[in-house]
């Protein structure tokens, strides 16, 4: 069956891993401006409007995409898994980061978000059945340590743990769950369709919340805030996930998820480019260490093996999958990931 065949990976496929790495890197690049853009937007717009309004805008784009591509409807089991994706990346992460960045800087947020790759890897084990080897965890810990050391030495974090950090931690946990579930589901639906269906599934919640937030605090902002909101809608909430979920599906959720170790450094890089902050030798050194850890992670062998999420020969599941795709079972290397 389709889901079973895409969940069992006995050995890494070089071509898929390289494509997955490229797609994952493109997704990380798209997400690297999310915290700065959110910080700009919530200074003038209500955080609930920013969090859910961008999901409504992205859902409109998603509906158009699904209609143009003639996408088949998900099965019952896939709808249940899409609800987890929606909880994590459509509602949870945008809401909690918007609330946190009311009082914290995006640089401070980047420190907490640095643990997201590790969270994603844990959920890849729990939800997708992946089994990274010990070297993977060593390299991941090294990359995380390099990022945290760099951010601390650069002065990105000042002071003790703030209440807003609880929001950021909640965002990280929910986002890691949404990444892992969405990456596994993208092996069946494709990366683009996974986020599109999750956005539409969330619309009965996101649309009323947006309307209420707009009524309570009518949105008034300058061009910079609206531009940031537009970026969050089109790139962070929509197009970025096309590449990200496709990359997770092709290259392995835990492995490709570690590419996001570079995101905090990229976030500060955008601050240097857009705000004129200097790039220190320490930032270059940290970037090289992170790059080395990512390369080491990509070279781990015997690694991201999975187990079936459902019993072999389950007739109801087979019927669901056949109805959704109309195609015979496929192997991981030919699964629809875009």
């Amino acid at each position: 069956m389709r889901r079973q065949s895409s969940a069992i990976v006995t050995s890494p496929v070089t071509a898929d891993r390289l494509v997955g790495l490229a797609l994952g890197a493109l997704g990380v690049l798209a997400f690297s401006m999310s915290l700065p853009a959110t910080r700009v937007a919530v200074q003038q717009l209500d955080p609930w409007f920013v969090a859910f309004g961008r999901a409504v805008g992205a859902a409109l784009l998603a509906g158009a995409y699904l209609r143009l591509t003639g996408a088949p409807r998900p099965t019952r089991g896939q709808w249940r898994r899409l609800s987890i994706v929606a909880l994590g990346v459509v509602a949870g992460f945008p809401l909690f980061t918007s609330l946190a960045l009311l009082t914290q800087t995006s640089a401070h947020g980047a420190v907490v978000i640095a643990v997201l790759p590790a969270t994603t890897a844990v959920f890849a084990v729990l939800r997708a059945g992946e089994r990274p080897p010990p070297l993977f965890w060593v390299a991941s810990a090294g990359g995380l340590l390099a990022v945290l050391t760099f951010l601390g030495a650069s002065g990105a974090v000042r002071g003790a743990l703030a209440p807003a950090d609880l929001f950021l931690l909640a965002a990280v946990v929910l986002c890691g769950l949404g990444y892992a579930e969405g990456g596994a589901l993208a092996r069946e639906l494709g990366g683009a369709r996974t986020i599109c269906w999750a956005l539409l599934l969330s619309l009965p919640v996101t649309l009323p919340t947006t309307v209420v937030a707009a009524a309570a605090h009518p949105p008034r902002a300058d061009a910079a805030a609206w531009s940031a909101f537009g970026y969050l809608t089109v790139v962070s909430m929509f197009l970025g996930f096309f590449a990200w979920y496709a990359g997770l599906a092709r290259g392995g959720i835990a492995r490709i998820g570690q590419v996001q170790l570079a995101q905090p450094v990229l976030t500060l890089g955008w601050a240097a480019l857009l705000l004129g902050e200097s790039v220190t030798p320490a930032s270059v050194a940290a970037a090289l260490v992170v790059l080395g850890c990512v390369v080491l992670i990509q070279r781990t062998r015997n690694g991201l093996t999975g187990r079936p999420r459902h019993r072999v020969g389950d007739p109801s599941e087979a019927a669901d999958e056949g109805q959704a795709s109309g195609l015979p079972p496929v192997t991981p290397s030919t699964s629809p990931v875009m």
Side-chain angles (χ1 to χ4, degrees), residues 123-224:
F123 281 115
V125 172
L126 297 176
R127 298 296 305 174
E130 296 188 353
R131 292 293 182 266
L135 182 59
F136 170 92
W137 296 109
V138 172
S140 299
L144 175 60
L145 180 62
V147 170
L148 294 178
T149 300
F150 162 65
L151 292 172
S154 66
V157 183
R158 296 181 177 86
L161 188 70
D165 288 321
L166 297 177
F167 290 135
L168 291 169
L169 289 172
V172 165
V173 172
L174 290 173
C175 191
L177 174 61
Y179 280 172
E181 195 70 35
L185 192 53
R187 296 168 183 164
E188 304 165 17
L189 295 177
R193 292 177 180 179
T194 296
I195 188 59
C196 286
W197 285 118
L199 286 164
L200 289 182
L201 179 63
S202 306
L203 204 54
V205 173
T206 57
L207 181 57
T209 305
T210 301
V211 172
V212 171
H217 302 92
R220 298 185 181 89
D222 59 21

Side-chain angles (χ1 to χ4, degrees), residues 129 173 186 193 196 229 252 267 279 288 306-307 311 315:
V173 172
R193 292 177 180 179
C196 286
F229 180 81
T267 298
V279 178
L288 292 176
R307 64 173 184 269
R311 297 193 315 271

